[in-house]
PDB file of all heavy atoms in Angstrom:
ATOM      1  N   TRP A 226     141.821  20.387 -37.495  1.00  0.00           N
ATOM      2  CA  TRP A 226     140.995  19.615 -38.427  1.00  0.00           C
ATOM      3  C   TRP A 226     140.364  20.501 -39.496  1.00  0.00           C
ATOM      4  O   TRP A 226     139.242  20.265 -39.928  1.00  0.00           O
ATOM      5  CB  TRP A 226     139.905  18.865 -37.651  1.00  0.00           C
ATOM      6  CG  TRP A 226     140.399  17.616 -36.976  1.00  0.00           C
ATOM      7  CD1 TRP A 226     140.605  16.403 -37.564  1.00  0.00           C
ATOM      8  CD2 TRP A 226     140.737  17.453 -35.592  1.00  0.00           C
ATOM      9  NE1 TRP A 226     141.055  15.493 -36.625  1.00  0.00           N
ATOM     10  CE2 TRP A 226     141.144  16.108 -35.416  1.00  0.00           C
ATOM     11  CE3 TRP A 226     140.751  18.308 -34.485  1.00  0.00           C
ATOM     12  CZ2 TRP A 226     141.541  15.596 -34.183  1.00  0.00           C
ATOM     13  CZ3 TRP A 226     141.152  17.807 -33.264  1.00  0.00           C
ATOM     14  CH2 TRP A 226     141.542  16.466 -33.115  1.00  0.00           C
ATOM     15  N   GLY A 227     141.061  21.523 -39.921  1.00  0.00           N
ATOM     16  CA  GLY A 227     140.497  22.452 -40.898  1.00  0.00           C
ATOM     17  C   GLY A 227     139.597  23.465 -40.211  1.00  0.00           C
ATOM     18  O   GLY A 227     139.404  23.411 -38.981  1.00  0.00           O
ATOM     19  N   ASP A 228     139.106  24.418 -40.976  1.00  0.00           N
ATOM     20  CA  ASP A 228     138.210  25.455 -40.453  1.00  0.00           C
ATOM     21  C   ASP A 228     138.850  26.283 -39.342  1.00  0.00           C
ATOM     22  O   ASP A 228     138.165  26.746 -38.436  1.00  0.00           O
ATOM     23  CB  ASP A 228     136.894  24.848 -39.913  1.00  0.00           C
ATOM     24  CG  ASP A 228     136.194  23.993 -40.947  1.00  0.00           C
ATOM     25  OD1 ASP A 228     136.214  24.383 -42.122  1.00  0.00           O
ATOM     26  OD2 ASP A 228     135.636  22.952 -40.577  1.00  0.00           O
ATOM     27  N   ASN A 253     136.249  21.106 -51.456  1.00  0.00           N
ATOM     28  CA  ASN A 253     135.871  20.694 -50.099  1.00  0.00           C
ATOM     29  C   ASN A 253     136.184  21.821 -49.110  1.00  0.00           C
ATOM     30  O   ASN A 253     135.584  21.920 -48.052  1.00  0.00           O
ATOM     31  CB  ASN A 253     136.593  19.399 -49.684  1.00  0.00           C
ATOM     32  CG  ASN A 253     138.093  19.428 -49.951  1.00  0.00           C
ATOM     33  OD1 ASN A 253     138.605  20.329 -50.589  1.00  0.00           O
ATOM     34  ND2 ASN A 253     138.795  18.419 -49.468  1.00  0.00           N
ATOM     35  N   ALA A 254     137.148  22.667 -49.459  1.00  0.00           N
ATOM     36  CA  ALA A 254     137.551  23.767 -48.572  1.00  0.00           C
ATOM     37  C   ALA A 254     136.504  24.872 -48.623  1.00  0.00           C
ATOM     38  O   ALA A 254     135.831  25.062 -49.633  1.00  0.00           O
ATOM     39  CB  ALA A 254     138.891  24.321 -49.016  1.00  0.00           C
ATOM     40  N   GLY A 255     136.359  25.587 -47.535  1.00  0.00           N
ATOM     41  CA  GLY A 255     135.458  26.737 -47.519  1.00  0.00           C
ATOM     42  C   GLY A 255     136.139  27.822 -46.717  1.00  0.00           C
ATOM     43  O   GLY A 255     136.235  27.726 -45.504  1.00  0.00           O
ATOM     44  N   ILE A 340     133.083   8.280 -43.819  1.00  0.00           N
ATOM     45  CA  ILE A 340     134.082   9.280 -43.407  1.00  0.00           C
ATOM     46  C   ILE A 340     133.413  10.625 -43.141  1.00  0.00           C
ATOM     47  O   ILE A 340     133.928  11.453 -42.401  1.00  0.00           O
ATOM     48  CB  ILE A 340     135.139   9.411 -44.539  1.00  0.00           C
ATOM     49  CG1 ILE A 340     135.918   8.090 -44.664  1.00  0.00           C
ATOM     50  CG2 ILE A 340     136.099  10.563 -44.314  1.00  0.00           C
ATOM     51  CD1 ILE A 340     136.703   7.951 -45.944  1.00  0.00           C
ATOM     52  N   GLY A 341     132.216  10.786 -43.748  1.00  0.00           N
ATOM     53  CA  GLY A 341     131.565  12.105 -43.633  1.00  0.00           C
ATOM     54  C   GLY A 341     132.228  13.086 -44.575  1.00  0.00           C
ATOM     55  O   GLY A 341     132.517  14.224 -44.199  1.00  0.00           O
ATOM     56  N   THR A 342     132.516  12.645 -45.811  1.00  0.00           N
ATOM     57  CA  THR A 342     133.189  13.544 -46.759  1.00  0.00           C
ATOM     58  C   THR A 342     132.260  14.693 -47.134  1.00  0.00           C
ATOM     59  O   THR A 342     131.051  14.634 -46.881  1.00  0.00           O
ATOM     60  CB  THR A 342     133.595  12.820 -48.074  1.00  0.00           C
ATOM     61  OG1 THR A 342     132.424  12.574 -48.845  1.00  0.00           O
ATOM     62  CG2 THR A 342     134.331  11.517 -47.809  1.00  0.00           C
ATOM     63  N   THR A 343     132.829  15.674 -47.785  1.00  0.00           N
ATOM     64  CA  THR A 343     132.025  16.814 -48.230  1.00  0.00           C
ATOM     65  C   THR A 343     131.265  16.479 -49.515  1.00  0.00           C
ATOM     66  O   THR A 343     130.507  17.303 -50.012  1.00  0.00           O
ATOM     67  CB  THR A 343     132.924  18.039 -48.491  1.00  0.00           C
ATOM     68  OG1 THR A 343     133.891  17.656 -49.484  1.00  0.00           O
ATOM     69  CG2 THR A 343     133.647  18.487 -47.232  1.00  0.00           C
ATOM     70  N   ARG A 344     131.504  15.316 -50.059  1.00  0.00           N
ATOM     71  CA  ARG A 344     130.865  14.831 -51.309  1.00  0.00           C
ATOM     72  C   ARG A 344     131.156  15.757 -52.487  1.00  0.00           C
ATOM     73  O   ARG A 344     130.315  15.955 -53.351  1.00  0.00           O
ATOM     74  CB  ARG A 344     129.363  14.630 -51.114  1.00  0.00           C
ATOM     75  CG  ARG A 344     129.089  13.605 -50.010  1.00  0.00           C
ATOM     76  CD  ARG A 344     127.685  13.107 -50.033  1.00  0.00           C
ATOM     77  NE  ARG A 344     127.513  12.129 -48.951  1.00  0.00           N
ATOM     78  CZ  ARG A 344     126.711  11.096 -49.014  1.00  0.00           C
ATOM     79  NH1 ARG A 344     125.996  10.866 -50.090  1.00  0.00           N
ATOM     80  NH2 ARG A 344     126.608  10.271 -47.991  1.00  0.00           N
ATOM     81  N   ILE A 347     136.378  14.730 -53.985  1.00  0.00           N
ATOM     82  CA  ILE A 347     137.808  14.897 -53.717  1.00  0.00           C
ATOM     83  C   ILE A 347     138.565  13.551 -53.734  1.00  0.00           C
ATOM     84  O   ILE A 347     139.542  13.384 -54.470  1.00  0.00           O
ATOM     85  CB  ILE A 347     138.021  15.604 -52.343  1.00  0.00           C
ATOM     86  CG1 ILE A 347     137.248  16.930 -52.297  1.00  0.00           C
ATOM     87  CG2 ILE A 347     139.504  15.777 -52.030  1.00  0.00           C
ATOM     88  CD1 ILE A 347     137.625  17.952 -53.319  1.00  0.00           C
ATOM     89  N   GLY A 348     138.100  12.603 -52.917  1.00  0.00           N
ATOM     90  CA  GLY A 348     138.785  11.304 -52.835  1.00  0.00           C
ATOM     91  C   GLY A 348     138.862  10.629 -54.202  1.00  0.00           C
ATOM     92  O   GLY A 348     139.964  10.273 -54.665  1.00  0.00           O
ATOM     93  N   GLN A 438     142.296  22.751 -45.630  1.00  0.00           N
ATOM     94  CA  GLN A 438     142.042  21.745 -44.590  1.00  0.00           C
ATOM     95  C   GLN A 438     143.081  21.877 -43.462  1.00  0.00           C
ATOM     96  O   GLN A 438     143.631  22.949 -43.294  1.00  0.00           O
ATOM     97  CB  GLN A 438     142.018  20.328 -45.163  1.00  0.00           C
ATOM     98  CG  GLN A 438     140.766  20.000 -45.968  1.00  0.00           C
ATOM     99  CD  GLN A 438     140.822  20.491 -47.394  1.00  0.00           C
ATOM    100  OE1 GLN A 438     141.831  20.393 -48.056  1.00  0.00           O
ATOM    101  NE2 GLN A 438     139.729  21.020 -47.888  1.00  0.00           N
ATOM    102  N   LEU A 442     143.819  16.257 -40.894  1.00  0.00           N
ATOM    103  CA  LEU A 442     143.091  15.669 -42.035  1.00  0.00           C
ATOM    104  C   LEU A 442     144.072  15.251 -43.126  1.00  0.00           C
ATOM    105  O   LEU A 442     143.656  14.836 -44.212  1.00  0.00           O
ATOM    106  CB  LEU A 442     142.084  16.672 -42.606  1.00  0.00           C
ATOM    107  CG  LEU A 442     140.871  17.016 -41.738  1.00  0.00           C
ATOM    108  CD1 LEU A 442     140.052  18.137 -42.385  1.00  0.00           C
ATOM    109  CD2 LEU A 442     139.981  15.796 -41.525  1.00  0.00           C
ATOM    110  N   VAL A 452     140.213  11.201 -42.985  1.00  0.00           N
ATOM    111  CA  VAL A 452     141.083  12.274 -43.469  1.00  0.00           C
ATOM    112  C   VAL A 452     140.627  12.677 -44.863  1.00  0.00           C
ATOM    113  O   VAL A 452     139.775  12.008 -45.452  1.00  0.00           O
ATOM    114  CB  VAL A 452     142.556  11.783 -43.539  1.00  0.00           C
ATOM    115  CG1 VAL A 452     143.113  11.535 -42.156  1.00  0.00           C
ATOM    116  CG2 VAL A 452     142.676  10.519 -44.402  1.00  0.00           C
ATOM    117  N   THR A 453     141.236  13.710 -45.399  1.00  0.00           N
ATOM    118  CA  THR A 453     141.001  14.024 -46.794  1.00  0.00           C
ATOM    119  C   THR A 453     142.076  13.306 -47.619  1.00  0.00           C
ATOM    120  O   THR A 453     142.902  12.574 -47.061  1.00  0.00           O
ATOM    121  CB  THR A 453     140.936  15.551 -47.026  1.00  0.00           C
ATOM    122  OG1 THR A 453     140.488  15.789 -48.362  1.00  0.00           O
ATOM    123  CG2 THR A 453     142.265  16.241 -46.778  1.00  0.00           C
ATOM    124  N   VAL A 487     134.568  18.693 -38.466  1.00  0.00           N
ATOM    125  CA  VAL A 487     133.336  18.254 -39.152  1.00  0.00           C
ATOM    126  C   VAL A 487     133.618  16.890 -39.755  1.00  0.00           C
ATOM    127  O   VAL A 487     134.730  16.596 -40.139  1.00  0.00           O
ATOM    128  CB  VAL A 487     132.833  19.192 -40.281  1.00  0.00           C
ATOM    129  CG1 VAL A 487     131.918  20.252 -39.764  1.00  0.00           C
ATOM    130  CG2 VAL A 487     133.952  19.758 -41.091  1.00  0.00           C
ATOM    131  N   GLY A 488     132.581  16.074 -39.836  1.00  0.00           N
ATOM    132  CA  GLY A 488     132.772  14.723 -40.357  1.00  0.00           C
ATOM    133  C   GLY A 488     133.124  13.780 -39.228  1.00  0.00           C
ATOM    134  O   GLY A 488     133.205  14.169 -38.050  1.00  0.00           O
ATOM    135  N   SER A 489     133.336  12.502 -39.582  1.00  0.00           N
ATOM    136  CA  SER A 489     133.576  11.480 -38.562  1.00  0.00           C
ATOM    137  C   SER A 489     135.046  11.446 -38.150  1.00  0.00           C
ATOM    138  O   SER A 489     135.874  12.112 -38.742  1.00  0.00           O
ATOM    139  CB  SER A 489     133.196  10.109 -39.116  1.00  0.00           C
ATOM    140  OG  SER A 489     132.035  10.195 -39.881  1.00  0.00           O
ATOM    141  N   ARG A 517     127.191  21.771 -42.238  1.00  0.00           N
ATOM    142  CA  ARG A 517     127.031  20.831 -41.113  1.00  0.00           C
ATOM    143  C   ARG A 517     127.509  21.479 -39.809  1.00  0.00           C
ATOM    144  O   ARG A 517     128.506  22.214 -39.823  1.00  0.00           O
ATOM    145  CB  ARG A 517     127.871  19.572 -41.354  1.00  0.00           C
ATOM    146  CG  ARG A 517     127.375  18.726 -42.498  1.00  0.00           C
ATOM    147  CD  ARG A 517     128.265  17.509 -42.702  1.00  0.00           C
ATOM    148  NE  ARG A 517     129.565  17.863 -43.260  1.00  0.00           N
ATOM    149  CZ  ARG A 517     130.531  16.995 -43.504  1.00  0.00           C
ATOM    150  NH1 ARG A 517     130.357  15.716 -43.222  1.00  0.00           N
ATOM    151  NH2 ARG A 517     131.673  17.375 -44.021  1.00  0.00           N
TER     152      ARG A 517
HETATM  153  P1  LIG B 172     136.676  15.090 -48.284  1.00  0.00           P
HETATM  154  O1  LIG B 172     137.876  15.976 -48.293  1.00  0.00           O
HETATM  155  O2  LIG B 172     135.442  15.735 -48.856  1.00  0.00           O
HETATM  156  O3  LIG B 172     136.972  13.756 -48.902  1.00  0.00           O
HETATM  157  O4  LIG B 172     136.302  14.778 -46.758  1.00  0.00           O
HETATM  158  C1  LIG B 172     137.148  14.016 -45.902  1.00  0.00           C
HETATM  159  C2  LIG B 172     137.107  14.548 -44.472  1.00  0.00           C
HETATM  160  O5  LIG B 172     137.722  15.833 -44.440  1.00  0.00           O
HETATM  161  C3  LIG B 172     135.708  14.742 -43.924  1.00  0.00           C
HETATM  162  O6  LIG B 172     135.740  14.475 -42.527  1.00  0.00           O
HETATM  163  C4  LIG B 172     135.429  16.221 -44.152  1.00  0.00           C
HETATM  164  O7  LIG B 172     134.477  16.735 -43.251  1.00  0.00           O
HETATM  165  C5  LIG B 172     136.813  16.792 -43.897  1.00  0.00           C
HETATM  166  N1  LIG B 172     137.044  18.057 -44.610  1.00  0.00           N
HETATM  167  C6  LIG B 172     137.318  18.229 -45.910  1.00  0.00           C
HETATM  168  N2  LIG B 172     137.501  19.521 -46.193  1.00  0.00           N
HETATM  169  C7  LIG B 172     137.358  20.193 -45.054  1.00  0.00           C
HETATM  170  C8  LIG B 172     137.468  21.578 -44.705  1.00  0.00           C
HETATM  171  O8  LIG B 172     137.757  22.457 -45.522  1.00  0.00           O
HETATM  172  N3  LIG B 172     137.246  21.871 -43.402  1.00  0.00           N
HETATM  173  C9  LIG B 172     136.971  20.921 -42.479  1.00  0.00           C
HETATM  174  N4  LIG B 172     136.870  19.628 -42.746  1.00  0.00           N
HETATM  175  C10 LIG B 172     137.061  19.266 -44.037  1.00  0.00           C
END
Side-chain angles (χ1 to χ4, degrees):
W226 281 280
D228 305 322
N253 48 351
I340 294 164
T342 73
T343 58
R344 300 195 180 212
I347 305 299
Q438 286 82 41
L442 291 174
V452 292
T453 189
V487 271
S489 320
R517 292 179 289 178

